[in-house]
Amino acid sequence: MTTTPFQVTVARLVVPVGPDDHTTGPDNAPVSLVEYGDYQCPYCGMAHAIMLDLLRLRQETIRFTFRHFPLTNVHPYADLAAEVAEAAAARGRFFQMHDWLYEHQRSINPRQLMVGVDHFGLPSDELADEVGAHVYLDRVRRDFVGGVRSGVNGTPTFYINGVRHDGGYALDELLEAVDVAAESM
Protein backbone atom coordinates (compact mmCIF):
# COMPACT_ATOMS: atom_id res chain seq x y z
CA MET A 1 0.00 0.00 0.00
CA THR A 2 1.37 3.38 -0.97
CA THR A 3 0.52 6.52 0.83
CA THR A 4 0.74 10.05 -0.33
CA PRO A 5 2.10 12.45 2.26
CA PHE A 6 0.05 15.47 3.08
CA GLN A 7 1.33 18.61 1.51
CA VAL A 8 0.95 21.79 3.44
CA THR A 9 0.92 24.77 1.18
CA VAL A 10 1.23 28.32 2.32
CA ALA A 11 -0.61 30.92 0.28
CA ARG A 12 1.83 33.59 -0.79
CA LEU A 13 1.44 37.01 -2.29
CA VAL A 14 2.07 36.46 -6.00
CA VAL A 15 2.15 40.11 -7.04
CA PRO A 16 4.80 41.94 -5.00
CA VAL A 17 4.07 45.40 -3.64
CA GLY A 18 5.20 47.97 -6.18
CA PRO A 19 5.17 51.67 -6.94
CA ASP A 20 1.58 51.56 -8.30
CA ASP A 21 0.19 50.23 -5.02
CA HIS A 22 -1.55 52.35 -2.39
CA THR A 23 0.78 52.24 0.57
CA THR A 24 1.34 54.09 3.79
CA GLY A 25 4.03 53.77 6.41
CA PRO A 26 7.81 53.79 6.28
CA ASP A 27 9.43 52.42 3.12
CA ASN A 28 11.96 50.54 5.26
CA ALA A 29 9.41 49.04 7.68
CA PRO A 30 10.26 45.47 8.71
CA VAL A 31 6.68 44.33 8.10
CA SER A 32 4.74 44.61 4.86
CA LEU A 33 1.01 44.20 5.50
CA VAL A 34 -1.19 43.85 2.42
CA GLU A 35 -4.97 43.82 2.67
CA TYR A 36 -7.35 42.72 -0.06
CA GLY A 37 -10.67 44.37 0.72
CA ASP A 38 -14.14 45.32 -0.47
CA TYR A 39 -15.67 48.65 0.52
CA GLN A 40 -19.14 47.16 1.05
CA CYS A 41 -17.98 44.11 3.02
CA PRO A 42 -19.07 44.47 6.66
CA TYR A 43 -16.11 42.35 7.80
CA CYS A 44 -13.76 44.71 5.97
CA GLY A 45 -15.51 47.59 7.71
CA MET A 46 -14.79 46.00 11.10
CA ALA A 47 -11.23 45.21 10.04
CA HIS A 48 -10.71 48.82 8.91
CA ALA A 49 -11.17 50.16 12.44
CA ILE A 50 -8.75 47.50 13.69
CA MET A 51 -6.25 48.41 10.95
CA LEU A 52 -6.31 52.04 12.02
CA ASP A 53 -5.48 51.00 15.59
CA LEU A 54 -2.81 48.55 14.41
CA LEU A 55 -1.15 51.16 12.20
CA ARG A 56 -1.23 53.69 15.04
CA LEU A 57 0.31 51.20 17.50
CA ARG A 58 2.99 49.94 15.08
CA GLN A 59 3.53 53.00 12.90
CA GLU A 60 7.30 52.45 12.60
CA THR A 61 6.91 48.71 12.03
CA ILE A 62 4.31 48.41 9.26
CA ARG A 63 4.19 49.40 5.62
CA PHE A 64 0.47 48.98 4.81
CA THR A 65 -0.85 48.33 1.30
CA PHE A 66 -4.51 48.19 0.29
CA ARG A 67 -5.68 46.31 -2.79
CA HIS A 68 -9.19 46.05 -4.20
CA PHE A 69 -11.11 42.78 -4.09
CA PRO A 70 -14.73 43.78 -4.80
CA LEU A 71 -17.18 40.91 -4.34
CA THR A 72 -19.72 42.20 -6.81
CA ASN A 73 -21.97 39.16 -6.59
CA VAL A 74 -22.94 40.22 -3.04
CA HIS A 75 -21.96 43.90 -2.98
CA PRO A 76 -23.48 45.70 -5.97
CA TYR A 77 -21.56 48.97 -5.56
CA ALA A 78 -18.18 47.55 -4.54
CA ASP A 79 -16.66 48.03 -8.01
CA LEU A 80 -18.02 51.55 -8.20
CA ALA A 81 -16.64 52.42 -4.77
CA ALA A 82 -13.23 51.04 -5.76
CA GLU A 83 -13.29 53.11 -8.95
CA VAL A 84 -14.13 56.25 -6.95
CA ALA A 85 -11.20 55.48 -4.63
CA GLU A 86 -8.96 55.16 -7.69
CA ALA A 87 -10.23 58.45 -9.10
CA ALA A 88 -9.39 60.07 -5.76
CA ALA A 89 -5.98 58.36 -5.87
CA ALA A 90 -5.29 59.96 -9.25
CA ARG A 91 -5.60 63.24 -7.35
CA GLY A 92 -3.46 62.21 -4.40
CA ARG A 93 -6.38 61.45 -2.06
CA PHE A 94 -6.59 57.65 -1.97
CA PHE A 95 -6.38 57.02 1.76
CA GLN A 96 -8.70 59.91 2.61
CA MET A 97 -11.35 58.45 0.29
CA HIS A 98 -10.55 54.91 1.47
CA ASP A 99 -11.23 55.88 5.09
CA TRP A 100 -14.36 57.82 4.15
CA LEU A 101 -15.74 54.84 2.21
CA TYR A 102 -15.36 52.56 5.21
CA GLU A 103 -16.83 55.17 7.56
CA HIS A 104 -19.90 55.42 5.29
CA GLN A 105 -20.05 51.88 3.94
CA ARG A 106 -23.62 51.21 5.09
CA SER A 107 -24.90 53.92 2.78
CA ILE A 108 -22.70 53.31 -0.27
CA ASN A 109 -24.61 53.93 -3.47
CA PRO A 110 -23.88 56.09 -6.53
CA ARG A 111 -25.34 59.25 -4.98
CA GLN A 112 -23.57 58.78 -1.64
CA LEU A 113 -20.25 58.23 -3.44
CA MET A 114 -20.58 61.68 -4.98
CA VAL A 115 -21.17 63.09 -1.49
CA GLY A 116 -17.73 61.73 -0.61
CA VAL A 117 -16.22 63.28 -3.71
CA ASP A 118 -17.75 66.65 -2.77
CA HIS A 119 -16.61 66.24 0.84
CA PHE A 120 -12.99 66.26 -0.30
CA GLY A 121 -13.49 69.09 -2.78
CA LEU A 122 -12.65 66.86 -5.72
CA PRO A 123 -13.98 67.84 -9.16
CA SER A 124 -17.27 65.91 -9.10
CA ASP A 125 -18.09 66.29 -12.80
CA GLU A 126 -14.64 65.03 -13.82
CA LEU A 127 -14.78 62.10 -11.42
CA ALA A 128 -18.31 61.19 -12.48
CA ASP A 129 -17.17 61.16 -16.13
CA GLU A 130 -14.09 59.06 -15.35
CA VAL A 131 -15.99 56.57 -13.21
CA GLY A 132 -18.82 56.44 -15.76
CA ALA A 133 -16.28 55.62 -18.47
CA HIS A 134 -14.64 53.04 -16.16
CA VAL A 135 -11.24 54.70 -16.55
CA TYR A 136 -10.00 52.93 -13.38
CA LEU A 137 -11.73 49.58 -13.74
CA ASP A 138 -8.63 47.90 -15.20
CA ARG A 139 -6.70 48.89 -12.07
CA VAL A 140 -9.41 47.43 -9.83
CA ARG A 141 -9.51 44.23 -11.90
CA ARG A 142 -5.71 43.93 -11.80
CA ASP A 143 -5.83 43.98 -7.98
CA PHE A 144 -8.64 41.42 -8.01
CA VAL A 145 -6.84 39.01 -10.35
CA GLY A 146 -3.64 39.34 -8.32
CA GLY A 147 -5.65 38.46 -5.23
CA VAL A 148 -7.15 35.37 -6.86
CA ARG A 149 -3.69 34.27 -7.97
CA SER A 150 -2.44 34.78 -4.40
CA GLY A 151 -5.16 32.64 -2.85
CA VAL A 152 -7.64 35.29 -1.72
CA ASN A 153 -11.03 33.67 -1.34
CA GLY A 154 -12.86 36.24 0.75
CA THR A 155 -12.50 39.63 2.32
CA PRO A 156 -10.66 40.87 4.19
CA THR A 157 -7.55 38.84 3.44
CA PHE A 158 -4.19 39.90 4.84
CA TYR A 159 -0.63 39.06 3.83
CA ILE A 160 2.18 39.66 6.28
CA ASN A 161 5.59 39.80 4.63
CA GLY A 162 4.15 38.00 1.63
CA VAL A 163 2.47 35.13 3.48
CA ARG A 164 -1.31 34.93 3.86
CA HIS A 165 -2.39 35.48 7.46
CA ASP A 166 -4.89 32.72 8.10
CA GLY A 167 -5.49 33.70 11.70
CA GLY A 168 -8.13 36.09 12.92
CA TYR A 169 -8.03 39.81 12.54
CA ALA A 170 -8.76 40.91 16.07
CA LEU A 171 -6.28 43.56 17.17
CA ASP A 172 -4.41 41.28 19.57
CA GLU A 173 -4.05 38.56 16.91
CA LEU A 174 -2.73 40.99 14.31
CA LEU A 175 -0.39 42.65 16.80
CA GLU A 176 1.08 39.26 17.65
CA ALA A 177 1.46 38.31 13.96
CA VAL A 178 3.10 41.64 13.13
CA ASP A 179 5.45 41.44 16.12
CA VAL A 180 6.50 37.88 15.23
CA ALA A 181 7.13 38.95 11.62
CA ALA A 182 9.14 41.98 12.76
CA GLU A 183 11.29 39.84 15.10
CA SER A 184 12.09 37.35 12.33
CA MET A 185 13.52 40.06 10.09
Side-chain angles (χ1 to χ4, degrees):
M1 175 174 168
T2 22
T3 59
T4 305
F6 286 106
Q7 281 190 316
V8 177
T9 58
V10 175
R12 297 199 175 273
L13 190 64
V14 173
V15 180
V17 175
D20 291 339
D21 277 302
H22 303 297
T23 60
T24 186
D27 289 336
N28 62 346
V31 175
S32 171
L33 176 62
V34 176
E35 175 185 357
Y36 281 90
D38 172 324
Y39 289 117
Q40 282 195 289
C41 168
Y43 301 106
C44 292
M46 289 186 286
H48 178 69
I50 293 165
M51 278 294 104
L52 292 176
D53 286 342
L54 181 67
L55 296 174
R56 182 180 48 78
L57 292 169
R58 296 294 186 270
Q59 57 189 313
E60 298 303 316
T61 306
I62 299 171
R63 178 88 170 147
F64 175 70
T65 302
F66 182 84
R67 290 182 175 167
H68 304 287
F69 202 81
L71 301 172
T72 56
N73 56 334
V74 289
H75 303 131
Y77 301 120
D79 261 346
L80 188 61
E83 287 185 77
V84 168
E86 286 301 319
R91 291 156 177 87
R93 305 295 288 272
F94 176 79
F95 278 106
Q96 291 93 337
M97 184 60 76
H98 169 82
D99 292 344
W100 188 92
L101 287 166
Y102 277 125
E103 290 163 13
H104 296 88
Q105 82 171 163
R106 290 186 180 166
S107 58
I108 287 180
N109 62 51
R111 181 169 292 174
Q112 185 68 17
L113 290 171
M114 293 317 292
V115 169
V117 167
D118 290 340
H119 175 78
F120 292 110
L122 298 171
S124 55
D125 290 342
E126 266 181 50
L127 263 79
D129 289 346
E130 291 171 5
V131 171
H134 301 294
V135 169
Y136 305 103
L137 189 57
D138 282 348
R139 165 58 197 264
V140 173
R141 292 285 176 244
R142 187 172 68 238
D143 280 359
F144 186 88
V145 169
V148 169
R149 291 180 51 221
S150 298
V152 174
N153 55 14
T155 56
T157 295
F158 299 100
Y159 289 82
I160 298 174
N161 287 347
V163 177
R164 187 175 65 201
H165 171 71
D166 288 328
Y169 56 88
L171 182 59
D172 60 334
E173 292 171 288
L174 286 171
L175 279 168
E176 181 180 348
V178 164
D179 291 346
V180 166
E183 289 171 10
S184 67
M185 292 308 291

